[in-house]
């Protein structure tokens, strides 16, 4: 089963696709991971259109069977929170258009599911991914690492 994990952001969206052996929830293969990067200060709806275009290309190429999308936790800056919510809406729309069932996970669920600590740091999440999943050479942004963890934890819910 192929599962895409997605960490929403208004100008950076982390994604990762894991392929799990038939009927198993362990030993996944990391097919791809990275971030959709939108230039800073790109206004809406231009940023949303870029996210949609790039995500649809990824979904078309890899054809995941399920998705796990990180929920928003409300931050003090409501403007930022609203922009991330717009991005998350576009992500869910893309998944709906491709008829990919999605589950939503909180950051705490993801951190606890990958590292056993609900308050794990980005560094601890990365270390857990490397140790548990055996993905040693993880480059890129922490958003993509979060997406790997999201896909892994989300697999148990789909």
């Amino acid at each position: 089963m192929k599962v895409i994990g997605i960490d929403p952001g208004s100008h950076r969206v982390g994604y990762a696709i894991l392929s799990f052996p038939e009927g198993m929830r362990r030993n996944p293969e990391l097919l791809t991971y990275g971030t959709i990067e939108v230039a800073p200060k790109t206004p809406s709806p231009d940023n949303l259109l870029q996210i949609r275009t790039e995500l649809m290309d990824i979904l078309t190429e890899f054809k995941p069977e399920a998705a796990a999308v990180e929920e928003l936790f409300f931050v003090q800056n409501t403007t930022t929170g609203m922009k991330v919510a717009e991005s998350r809406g576009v992500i869910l729309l893309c998944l709906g258009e491709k008829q990919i069932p999605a589950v939503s996970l909180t950051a705490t669920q993801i951190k606890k599911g990958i590292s056993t600590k609900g308050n794990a740091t980005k560094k601890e999440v990365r270390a857990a991914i490397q140790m548990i999943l055996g993905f040693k050479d993880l480059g890129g942004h922490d958003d993509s690492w979060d997406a790997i963890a999201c896909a892994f934890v989300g697999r148990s819910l789909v």
Side-chain angles (χ1 to χ4, degrees), residues 99-111:
Q99 298 180 346
I100 299 169
V103 295
S104 293
L105 298 163
T106 66
T108 301
Q109 287 174 307
I110 295 166
K111 290 174 183 181

Side-chain angles (χ1 to χ4, degrees), residues 58-129:
I58 294 163
L59 297 175
T60 298
E61 179 179 351
F62 290 95
K63 298 175 180 39
E65 300 156 76
V69 182
E70 186 173 330
E71 292 237 355
L72 302 179
F73 62 94
F74 206 78
V75 291
Q76 290 179 349
N77 186 335
T78 56
T79 302
T80 301
M82 290 176 67
K83 288 180 181 180
V84 176
E86 290 173 353
S87 170
R88 190 171 189 280
V90 168
I91 291 163
L92 294 174
L93 179 64
C94 290
L95 295 171
E97 287 177 343
K98 291 287 191 178
Q99 298 180 346
I100 299 169
V103 295
S104 293
L105 298 163
T106 66
T108 301
Q109 287 174 307
I110 295 166
K111 290 174 183 181
K112 193 168 188 175
I114 195 74
S115 73
T116 71
K117 286 175 59 179
N119 62 348
T121 65
K122 300 282 188 187
K123 203 175 201 179
E124 289 171 326
V125 168
R126 182 179 187 211
I129 291 167

Side-chain angles (χ1 to χ4, degrees), residues 121-142:
T121 65
K122 300 282 188 187
K123 203 175 201 179
E124 289 171 326
V125 168
R126 182 179 187 211
I129 291 167
Q130 291 174 318
M131 184 180 72
I132 295 168
L133 302 177
F135 303 153
K136 301 296 181 199
D137 299 320
L138 290 178
H141 289 284
D142 53 25

Side-chain angles (χ1 to χ4, degrees), residues 20-81:
F20 292 84
E22 189 66 36
M24 296 183 71
R25 291 187 180 153
R26 55 188 168 94
N27 302 326
E29 176 186 357
L30 180 60
L31 300 181
T32 189
Y33 77 106
T35 53
I36 297 170
E37 299 274 349
V38 178
K41 298 186 180 178
T42 302
S44 289
D46 297 339
N47 66 324
L48 301 174
L49 290 168
Q50 182 179 339
I51 291 168
R52 182 186 187 284
T53 298
E54 291 188 37
L55 181 57
M56 289 299 269
D57 289 346
I58 294 163
L59 297 175
T60 298
E61 179 179 351
F62 290 95
K63 298 175 180 39
E65 300 156 76
V69 182
E70 186 173 330
E71 292 237 355
L72 302 179
F73 62 94
F74 206 78
V75 291
Q76 290 179 349
N77 186 335
T78 56
T79 302
T80 301

Side-chain angles (χ1 to χ4, degrees), residues 135-152:
F135 303 153
K136 301 296 181 199
D137 299 320
L138 290 178
H141 289 284
D142 53 25
D143 300 288
S144 61
W145 311 334
D146 289 348
I148 294 170
C150 188
F152 179 73

